[in-house]
Amino acid sequence: MQGRNDARTQRRKDAEATVMCRIFGNLAPGAGAPRAARPDAAELAAVSARQRHGGPDEHQVLSGAGWSLGCDRLAVTEPCGGQQPYRLAHLPGILAVLNGEIYNHTELRLHLAARGHRFPDRCDGTVLPALYAEYGTAFAEHLEGMFAVAVLDLRPGRTQLVLAVDDMGMKPVHWHHDPADGSTRFASEIPALLAFEGVTISPREDSLDTVLATRTSFSSRTALDGIEVLAPGATAVVRPGCRPLVRRRTPHPGSTTAEPRTQDVLRHEVRRLAESELPVCAITSGGLDSGLVTALAAEYARESDAPPLHTFHLGYRGRWPDSEAVHARSVARRARTVHHEVAVDPDEFGSLLTRTVRHLGQPNADPIALSTYALFRAVREAGFTVALTGDGADELFGGYARMRAALDAPEGAWVAAYVDSLSAAPRLLREHLYTPAYRAYIAEQGSAADRIEQELRACGPDRAAALTAFETRWRLPAYHLRRVDHLSMAWAVETRLPFCQPAVVAHARALPPAALRGKRALYEAGRELLPPSVLARPKQPFTLPVAAMLTPGSPLLETVRELLSPARLVLGGKLRADRVRGLLTRQLERPNQRDAQALWALAVHELWTDVVQGMRIPVGCVA
């Protein structure tokens, strides 16, 4: 028992040494040279202000001739040293900033100390300058965790900026290279990046088609021309005046366990992420994935003599279809948690939509974004800064019906149907809504859907591997993880994702195909932990009942109607206003999910075009 307590104490000390931040910076031609211009302090302050909501507790920025590096810190625990940007006394020319957590920093510190490096504290990011000094641009291959890292090497003759993100893309970094002046700028969030003077605001011409075809941008390109997001598991090397060179790393194998069962592998990761000096809560939708995380986190709280786990579930005032509240209560009762039911007033949806679009920085057509934003607001208001979620389970364990349908479809017939299932509006509906000029443009340039089809057809005969690779490499980080990161950090809440940990990812990929059909491995894992009613219920996503809410008398309807007014659409030149009006009329007469989803995506894109154009105006932290 004493040995277990000692190990727990050590893990908590390690957890205590981690921080969450928003990061930003730039590298210009001639960086480090005496005559290079120092970045404007007011400009850097404006960049920081745009993402200060994610790091409200401490702000630090260093700058010099042609370079800057800064962070905004969220104090998940009390300060323990390791002030960012990280610097070591014996490596003064190497600076680093970190957004996220490095889980294996204790092992790395021991390894680096044996090679002569000295560290002033136990903060996880303090190892970064030494790790870079030893391994150069390959340093990120040694990191396990959820992270976005920027290392600036200012040693004479070696000046360069290196950006890296974790293998699953849990923590994003966005960048822009200006071919006119040769500068590269980066930030955790797009609105912050747009506060740099050299970054222009130019929505991509195909952004409307992309949001209808795939609900959000899946590739490293964003909805704004010239702004990219670093792909999961990628490292970018930037030399002064040069465009970033991006390469994909070999995935980190992660910490291994001797446990062969899915339940035991997941239990190990939940317990590891639940280590914190501050109380940890769980998001409990009432489904299998969040239910498993909730049950295991509550089990750990009891065994470690910690206070009972708090759980949060979001619903909507009034009577709406597809409520999961009863299932969430059942999970919480079985796990013996302190359960919070958060009820959002639909009258607030218009305001929530604007704030959500602003924080995301690019359109995301999933109505769940409103729910996510409101849910993390409640978590923060209840006093929590750390939350466990069940994101990633469907992609890794074969939970989506579209994946099962694709596996069962005849050869040659599955790709187009699968890609159409990703859309907010099927291909025929999109083409029906477009003006002739925009339809011709998309036909000539190619749609995001076309590019996905080409990628899947080139993946070889292993259909299951191709689907899992696409879902985890592109759709999961872009559609889910970016939304969870941005909308939780909008309220300064750190989310921890057990299913996205390397050990769970490796375990899922090693399972036989039969165990991944319909998440059979997860249902088996939940048999001892969850109520039978939760295991027996049909799969249902945590979302906003948008089809029921786009009906006469709903506050949401008026917001959508205003955003899709004929005058606006004619001005945009991409949509036929009469056919959009016909789609809305059909939804009001015969409400259905397909039409409602298409209308929602159109409205989100229209609002985003307004919001993004206003981002040139300096703004403070908006939550």
Side-chain angles (χ1 to χ4, degrees):
M1 176 66 74
Q2 183 61 45
R4 186 172 69 180
N5 288 337
D6 290 345
R8 183 179 300 126
T9 299
Q10 183 59 59
R11 287 197 300 272
R12 281 184 172 163
K13 284 182 179 179
D14 291 343
E16 188 179 44
T18 61
V19 296
M20 300 296 290
C21 297
R22 283 324 206 198
I23 62 175
F24 60 94
N26 80 294
L27 187 70
R35 295 184 180 180
R38 180 184 290 269
D40 181 68
E43 178 183 358
L44 296 176
V47 173
S48 173
R50 288 277 182 90
Q51 54 185 26
R52 187 73 57 81
H53 46 261
D57 299 314
E58 185 179 353
H59 164 70
Q60 293 290 336
V61 61
L62 296 176
S63 63
W67 63 269
S68 66
L69 205 59
C71 71
D72 299 292
R73 180 180 185 269
L74 169 62
V76 174
T77 61
E78 291 301 315
C80 58
Q83 187 180 71
Q84 297 202 49
Y86 299 109
R87 290 176 288 181
L88 295 177
H90 64 289
L91 296 171
I94 302 175
L95 311 175
V97 287
L98 164 68
N99 172 25
E101 299 182 40
I102 298 171
Y103 303 141
N104 63 335
H105 68 94
T106 298
E107 298 86 1
L108 290 173
R109 186 177 293 103
L110 291 172
H111 168 70
L112 293 166
R115 299 179 69 87
H117 295 282
R118 302 176 303 281
F119 303 96
D121 52 54
R122 296 187 56 80
C123 193
D124 58 349
T126 309
V127 304
L128 291 171
L131 194 67
Y132 175 83
E134 291 291 330
Y135 299 105
T137 59
F139 77 96
E141 296 175 9
H142 301 269
L143 298 176
E144 179 189 351
M146 60 172 182
F147 59 83
V149 176
V151 175
L152 186 60
D153 188 345
L154 296 173
R155 293 175 294 180
R158 304 184 186 182
T159 302
Q160 63 183 10
L161 170 69
V162 184
L163 306 173
V165 297
D166 63 76
D167 291 342
M168 295 296 286
M170 289 180 276
K171 289 294 173 184
V173 63
H174 300 86
W175 60 269
H176 173 270
H177 178 74
D178 186 347
D181 71 5
S183 294
T184 296
R185 302 167 177 92
F186 73 91
S188 294
E189 300 185 15
I190 288 176
L193 185 58
L194 294 177
F196 278 109
E197 286 298 324
V199 180
T200 57
I201 294 176
S202 179
R204 293 182 60 87
E205 193 68 16
D206 64 353
S207 64
L208 171 63
D209 180 71
T210 297
V211 78
L212 290 178
T214 59
R215 307 193 186 203
T216 196
S217 300
F218 283 175
S219 70
S220 59
R221 298 192 306 186
T222 71
L224 289 167
D225 196 30
I227 295 180
E228 301 197 33
V229 60
L230 203 55
T235 296
V237 179
V238 189
R239 301 189 188 280
C242 300
R243 181 178 172 82
L245 295 176
V246 181
R247 67 175 181 85
R248 190 181 182 191
R249 306 186 305 271
T250 302
H252 190 285
S255 302
T256 58
T257 71
E259 306 292 354
R261 296 196 310 161
T262 300
Q263 184 190 106
D264 295 324
V265 174
L266 186 59
R267 174 179 284 111
H268 180 271
E269 295 306 311
V270 168
R271 292 181 173 218
R272 186 163 65 90
L273 297 185
E275 292 284 358
S276 175
E277 287 297 303
L278 295 180
V280 175
C281 69
I283 304 303
T284 306
S285 69
L288 171 65
D289 310 335
S290 67
L292 274 169
V293 171
T294 296
L296 293 171
E299 173 191 273
Y300 175 68
R302 290 192 298 271
E303 292 182 4
S304 59
D305 298 322
L309 180 74
H310 284 242
T311 50
F312 288 80
H313 176 80
L314 185 120
Y316 313 98
R317 291 182 188 173
R319 297 177 62 86
W320 302 101
D322 302 323
S323 171
E324 296 184 278
V326 65
H327 300 293
R329 284 184 217 128
S330 180
V331 170
R333 193 180 308 115
R334 174 74 173 262
R336 289 177 278 167
T337 71
V338 179
H339 193 53
H340 304 257
E341 291 190 357
V342 182
V344 178
D345 188 340
D347 287 340
E348 193 186 3
F349 284 164
S351 171
L352 287 178
L353 179 59
T354 300
R355 294 182 178 207
T356 298
V357 170
R358 182 184 294 120
H359 278 292
L360 290 174
Q362 60 178 328
N364 183 311
D366 193 341
I368 197 178
L370 267 68
S371 311
T372 304
Y373 180 85
L375 182 57
F376 284 113
R377 177 180 64 183
V379 167
R380 182 65 175 185
E381 290 176 347
F384 290 87
T385 55
V386 182
L388 300 174
T389 81
D391 294 277
D394 283 310
E395 289 81 1
L396 287 163
F397 289 88
Y400 291 122
R402 63 173 177 269
M403 298 175 73
R404 296 195 296 275
L407 290 173
D408 294 336
E411 188 63 38
W414 68 275
V415 173
Y418 168 78
V419 173
D420 222 26
S421 71
L422 301 172
S423 69
R427 185 181 292 269
L428 289 178
L429 178 58
R430 298 196 299 272
E431 295 177 349
H432 172 75
L433 296 174
Y434 294 160
T435 60
Y438 192 61
R439 187 163 57 245
Y441 171 82
I442 295 300
E444 180 182 351
Q445 298 296 319
S447 169
D450 299 329
R451 292 188 287 273
I452 294 171
E453 285 194 31
Q454 292 168 9
E455 178 178 331
L456 290 173
R457 293 185 194 281
C459 281
D462 191 338
R463 200 181 301 183
L467 287 167
T468 301
F470 172 77
E471 291 274 355
T472 55
R473 176 162 167 73
W474 292 121
R475 189 177 186 275
L476 173 63
Y479 192 54
H480 291 291
L481 302 186
R482 192 180 304 150
R483 182 186 66 237
V484 170
D485 171 78
H486 282 37
L487 300 183
S488 62
M489 291 296 273
W491 291 102
V493 174
E494 173 195 342
T495 50
R496 298 181 178 180
L497 308 124
F499 283 106
C500 293
Q501 302 312 305
V504 178
V505 174
H507 173 78
R509 289 174 176 168
L511 289 172
L516 297 177
R517 278 187 170 265
K519 296 197 290 194
R520 291 180 187 175
L522 293 187
Y523 278 101
E524 181 62 33
R527 205 175 303 279
E528 304 166 355
L529 300 169
L530 298 175
S533 60
V534 172
L535 294 171
R537 63 179 295 228
K539 175 176 172 54
Q540 178 183 327
F542 166 57
T543 190
L544 185 82
V546 66
M549 290 185 172
L550 288 184
T551 52
S554 165
L556 199 56
L557 174 62
E558 295 312 308
T559 298
V560 170
R561 197 195 300 271
E562 181 179 346
L563 288 168
L564 299 181
S565 68
R568 286 182 61 106
L569 300 185
V570 169
L571 204 62
K574 296 182 176 68
L575 292 164
R576 290 191 53 168
D578 59 331
R579 292 184 175 179
V580 173
R581 185 170 61 249
L583 181 67
L584 182 56
T585 300
R586 188 169 69 190
Q587 164 64 20
L588 295 178
E589 294 173 349
R590 298 184 299 278
N592 68 90
Q593 184 61 32
R594 191 195 75 160
D595 290 348
Q597 177 63 73
L599 289 163
W600 181 262
L602 290 169
V604 165
H605 186 269
E606 286 298 313
L607 178 59
W608 171 75
T609 59
D610 286 349
V611 167
V612 77
Q613 292 298 338
M615 285 183 182
R616 263 287 165 239
I617 302 171
V619 296
C621 170
V622 180

